[in-house]
Amino acid sequence: MLLKKGSTGDDVKKLQNRLGLTADGVFGSGTEAQVKTWQAQNGLVADGIVGDATWAKLFPPSSAGFNLTDAQTKLKGHIPDGVIAQIPAIAAITNSLRLAHFLAQCAHESSVFTVVYENLNYSADGLKATFPSYFPGQLSESYARNPEKIGARVYADRMGNGNEASGDGYTFRGRGYIQLTGKSNYASFGKSVGEDTVANPDLVATRYPLASAGFFFDTNNIWTVCDGGSTDSVITSVTKKVNGGTNGLADRTKLFNEYYAILS
């Protein structure tokens, strides 16, 4: 394999898709720059040339021989049986690498698969610290320890929600292992599973906590980031896509390494 500036064809398109670029099949300056950035982030010589080593890391052969049933068996006793049973519903899980990254992020976000509802039971000080722009002055005093009022306010008029008076912010608060939030996201997810999760939002927590997390990975193009490998830099990249930052990175890394070792 050798792709470099000036190369054309289907392999270039595949490369561009993997890097999140417009797949026109022409290896130009933009593609070269992105390759160099990716190489630097993944411990490779940043020469902008895609040889065998770079290609293998971009497209790890981990899907070869992957058996989901075997993976589920290996995970027994390490994560709850109810979580294991939900894994086959997520079509994008095609290799151990994706599964380990996904489970690590879900486990961290849900306190190891125990939390499926967003906790909005904030004190006045907690509201000021967490949502300072929504609670200026002493306003937090009248909302403290009232999750319904808090949710209605902080999620009002965004993500498809109505105004504060509508109560949509609380109705469509975070649910699932990676908190699905907002009426428009509930509507889109419901269409993907053939359920009316706008009329029945608790389904996200009770029936689809893992599938809704898979939907989050799908819509935010996180699977291809997972395909980057098992290095700390890839775990960090996945974490940033899930969290928006690197909160809890050490725990996410620990969980990934545990799950990947079990699945490998």
Side-chain angles (χ1 to χ4, degrees), residues 185-202:
N185 288 324
Y186 274 70
S188 295
F189 172 66
K191 288 179 182 178
S192 75
V193 293
E195 296 266 21
D196 189 349
T197 50
V198 171
N200 301 286
D202 278 337

Side-chain angles (χ1 to χ4, degrees), residues 105 235-246:
Q105 295 294 329
I235 298 169
T236 300
S237 295
V238 175
T239 297
K240 287 180 177 178
K241 293 282 281 185
V242 172
N243 175 255
T246 56

Side-chain angles (χ1 to χ4, degrees), residues 91-115:
I93 296 177
T94 55
N95 56 57
S96 297
L97 193 58
R98 287 187 172 191
L99 181 54
H101 276 298
F102 178 62
L103 290 176
Q105 295 294 329
C106 288
H108 177 82
E109 291 287 326
S110 65
S111 296
V112 195
F113 306 105
T114 61
V115 176

